[in-house]
Amino acid sequence: MELKKCLVVDDDELGREIVAQYLENVPVVDTAGGGRDAVEKFQAAMTEGAPYELILLDIVMPDMDGITAGKEIRKLEKGLALPTDKQVKIVMLTALNTPQDVMQSMLAVQSSAYLVKPVEPEKVRKTISQLGLRISG
């Protein structure tokens, strides 16, 4: 399935912009500077009938961390009775490369994958491909 709409969430503006650049061939790439903003954007996209197919979500953020934001997103999906195959794919972004941190975040959010910062373009493309999504161009 071609990736058409993605949300990049990171409190680090430069990191957020770099990852967004890696997705330049995706028609819609929105960004959020924190978890609360991400949940609001996700909810708005669902309400508009134009949901995100992928969210790249930083774990450590000051206002609302990625785990909490991911749980809120999953709660919204559950409230809409979305089947698992229709739920947004979440890729956790982390600077914490310990197996315990990664597993905790993946289980808590039911994320599909994770990427360790600094994120490299090839790894982003490969991860997206492994999720059954593709970027045109």
Side-chain angles (χ1 to χ4, degrees), residues 110-121:
Q110 299 152 16
S111 64
S112 306
Y114 75 94
L115 290 166
V116 177
K117 293 178 180 183
V119 179
E120 298 168 13

Side-chain angles (χ1 to χ4, degrees), residues 9-11 35 56-62 64-69 91-96 101-106 109 111 114-115 117:
V9 187
D10 195 330
D11 61 311
L56 298 162
L57 183 59
D58 187 21
I59 294 176
V60 180
M61 296 182 286
M64 178 190 283
D65 66 53
I67 293 173
T68 304
V91 175
M92 303 305 289
L93 302 176
T94 180
L96 314 168
D101 289 321
V102 170
M103 287 310 296
Q104 177 191 1
S105 66
M106 289 189 71
V109 178
S111 64
Y114 75 94
L115 290 166
K117 293 178 180 183

Side-chain angles (χ1 to χ4, degrees), residues 13-25:
E13 187 176 355
L14 181 60
R16 189 170 63 238
E17 293 306 316
I18 288 171
V19 173
Q21 281 182 343
Y22 296 162
L23 303 165
E24 66 184 342
N25 290 335

Side-chain angles (χ1 to χ4, degrees), residues 63-109:
D63 75 325
M64 178 190 283
D65 66 53
I67 293 173
T68 304
K71 285 180 180 178
E72 288 295 314
I73 287 166
R74 293 295 184 218
K75 198 184 299 181
L76 289 168
E77 289 177 325
K78 192 173 185 177
L80 295 170
L82 279 182
T84 308
D85 65 326
K86 299 289 185 202
Q87 293 180 354
V88 67
K89 292 177 176 22
I90 298 176
V91 175
M92 303 305 289
L93 302 176
T94 180
L96 314 168
N97 191 16
T98 64
Q100 191 174 7
D101 289 321
V102 170
M103 287 310 296
Q104 177 191 1
S105 66
M106 289 189 71
L107 291 171
V109 178

Side-chain angles (χ1 to χ4, degrees), residues 1-5 25-27 53-54 128 132-137:
M1 179 172 87
E2 189 170 327
L3 178 59
K4 295 181 187 88
K5 190 170 182 181
N25 290 335
V26 175
E53 295 141 337
L54 176 70
I128 289 170
L133 298 169
R134 66 183 181 338
I135 299 174
S136 63

